[in-house]
Amino acid sequence: MPLHDRIIPYLERVGLYHLARLNSEWFWLDEPLVSAFVERWRPETHTFHLPFGECTVTLQDVAFQLGLPVDGEAVSGCLGEFETYMEGGRPAWEWFEDLFGERPPPNKVKQMTVHFTWFRDRFRVLPVDASEETVRIYTRAYIMMMLSTQLFGDKSANRVHIRWLPFVANLDDMGRYSWGSAALAWLYRCMCRVANRNVTNLTGPLQLLQSWIFWRFPSLRPEGFEAFSFPLASSALDVLAVVHPEILTEEHSRLWRAVTSLIYFAVIEWHQVDRVVPQLGGVQHIPEDALNVDWLHAKDRKGGDRWFPHYYQVWHLHWGGDRWFPLRSAGVSFIHVVADAGGTWSSFSCPSHAWVGDHCRPVIWWPKPLWNTR
């Protein structure tokens, strides 16, 4: 879907413009490589267990790879019963019609989702003489598609969920949410799911996972890598030239060191960064015991819709609290950066990808090419 110049200012305002820029070309997944890493994922610690130690995707990596803000309110609420759980909320499809000017035909609707092709065909090209309100409608459609496919994709693959209506209803307020922590929570949950040998479908922000692998393990980059459009998975790129400088301020970067909850609606995961201190330039100490969140996995979006900030109130307090985040700040570690962090993980090399065949089980990838917003 083309990214029109008139939509860009709104994407910049909500903090999603860099994510949209990453899709100038199709993104193809290196399935054996990612499968080998997923095979080494441990749900108990939310880390990859490799021969030289542990490593994982952190909030710092989300900021660097996707350019998403990590500080802000948790991405949560309810999944569709807006008139029941939200003050001023309206019946879902009435609200949808108000925001997009029309309702999709019944054959494009399934429960609380709309088929991707309806959005693509209806909002593909912005009229040249479009009014500002029309631009806002097209922006909402673009964001709905990007969130549902690129950042929070699930097994449905080709459907756009209407849980995003309360967010796109007020584009000026979307920038206050922590899209980075929500994306990381969803990546963790998807990898924890596929760690179960009865699950073979891996979904989620796979662009983030593969880009992280190329960034942290340069020897695993494919031949001709520089010709592809990856985010920051090349040391030749200047961080400030790619991401918005605001996400690198102390207000945001201090959260990279926080041991805290990660929230995405009913998905609650744990950011146990104290297990991978060398990734932040420090010397690894004995970490705290891993937090058991298995019971939260068992409740994954089961039991119907509800107001999740209340249902998971304790976890929301860990992330938010008041404006100064007292509980979360208590979990921020001080890391003394040293020249040599004393580990080999950052320089880990592998001469070829042949090793993955002997160490991983088959994983069904869905979809193979990630959605191209352009």
Side-chain angles (χ1 to χ4, degrees):
M1 180 174 175
L3 178 60
H4 198 280
D5 290 342
R6 295 184 65 183
I7 293 178
I8 292 177
Y10 290 102
L11 295 178
E12 290 177 329
R13 197 177 307 165
V14 303
L16 298 176
Y17 175 51
H18 178 62
L19 183 66
R21 286 198 301 166
L22 301 183
N23 292 277
S24 58
E25 299 180 20
W26 283 90
F27 180 88
W28 290 89
L29 203 64
D30 187 334
E31 299 173 6
L33 175 64
V34 175
S35 180
F37 272 84
V38 171
E39 183 70 11
R40 288 154 178 78
W41 178 257
R42 299 301 301 177
E44 302 90 341
T45 58
H46 292 103
T47 58
F48 299 103
H49 284 215
L50 299 174
F52 50 82
E54 297 180 56
C55 60
T56 194
V57 186
T58 68
L59 288 172
Q60 180 192 50
D61 297 306
V62 176
F64 280 5
Q65 302 302 316
L66 300 183
L68 293 174
V70 297
D71 192 16
E73 297 181 22
V75 177
S76 188
C78 61
L79 300 178
E81 297 182 30
F82 308 120
E83 72 278 17
T84 302
Y85 296 110
M86 294 185 60
E87 182 179 353
R90 303 185 57 189
W93 295 109
E94 290 183 13
W95 206 358
F96 187 98
E97 186 174 6
D98 285 348
L99 294 176
F100 294 98
E102 60 185 280
R103 297 191 189 189
N107 65 332
K108 296 294 184 180
V109 175
K110 183 178 181 180
Q111 296 179 335
M112 290 296 179
T113 64
V114 180
H115 203 283
F116 176 84
T117 56
W118 182 82
F119 274 96
R120 183 196 60 193
D121 297 341
R122 175 63 182 82
F123 301 104
R124 183 173 181 82
V125 180
L126 180 68
V128 177
D129 58 347
S131 65
E132 198 59 32
E133 180 55 32
T134 300
V135 174
R136 293 173 69 89
I137 292 175
Y138 275 69
T139 301
R140 294 186 188 110
Y142 190 96
I143 292 174
M144 292 268 286
M145 287 188 288
M146 184 165 59
L147 293 179
S148 293
T149 58
Q150 183 181 356
L151 205 56
F152 301 106
D154 56 23
K155 289 187 293 184
S156 67
N158 59 356
R159 294 197 167 272
V160 178
H161 203 285
I162 66 171
R163 72 183 64 175
W164 307 114
L165 291 184
F167 297 90
V168 300
N170 192 341
L171 295 173
D172 295 331
D173 285 344
M174 282 192 70
R176 76 172 193 259
Y177 294 98
S178 175
W179 298 105
S181 66
L184 187 58
W186 184 231
L187 177 63
Y188 280 4
R189 179 57 57 89
C190 290
M191 290 195 292
C192 288
R193 282 177 178 172
V194 84
N196 182 336
R197 289 190 175 272
N198 295 321
V199 178
T200 55
N201 291 332
L202 178 62
T203 58
L206 303 182
Q207 185 180 36
L208 167 62
L209 177 57
Q210 181 164 299
S211 183
W212 173 83
I213 294 172
F214 289 158
W215 172 252
R216 297 294 188 179
F217 302 86
S219 64
L220 297 179
R221 297 173 184 173
E223 183 180 355
F225 167 77
E226 300 298 338
F228 294 95
S229 178
F230 285 95
L232 288 183
S234 172
S235 58
L237 294 178
D238 181 3
V239 172
L240 289 177
V242 180
V243 303
H244 197 286
E246 181 184 348
I247 71 169
L248 303 179
T249 61
E250 174 62 19
E251 182 180 8
H252 290 263
S253 63
R254 68 189 179 94
L255 299 181
W256 303 345
R257 310 186 303 273
V259 178
T260 185
S261 56
L262 300 170
I263 300 170
Y264 166 58
F265 289 95
V267 173
I268 310 292
E269 295 292 348
W270 197 245
H271 187 243
Q272 194 147 349
V273 74
D274 61 333
R275 304 187 69 91
V276 292
V277 176
Q279 287 188 214
L280 299 175
V283 177
Q284 184 62 54
H285 54 79
I286 299 176
E288 296 292 330
D289 292 338
L291 183 68
N292 189 335
V293 293
D294 287 350
W295 69 278
L296 289 171
H297 290 180
K299 292 178 176 292
D300 186 5
R301 290 193 291 180
K302 296 179 175 66
D305 199 3
R306 60 191 69 196
W307 186 246
F308 296 113
H310 176 73
Y311 188 70
Y312 295 116
Q313 184 176 14
V314 173
W315 303 98
H316 279 259
L317 288 174
H318 268 287
W319 175 256
D322 61 22
R323 178 62 187 87
W324 299 104
F325 312 108
L327 293 178
R328 189 175 61 188
S329 297
V332 176
S333 303
F334 172 77
I335 296 177
H336 177 63
V337 178
V338 296
D340 182 0
T344 60
W345 75 269
S346 60
S347 58
F348 176 66
S349 62
C350 178
S352 72
H353 292 176
W355 60 283
V356 303
D358 298 328
H359 301 284
C360 64
R361 60 192 171 90
V363 174
I364 298 175
W365 305 95
W366 186 286
K368 190 171 183 179
L370 300 187
W371 173 54
N372 178 12
T373 57
R374 296 182 184 274

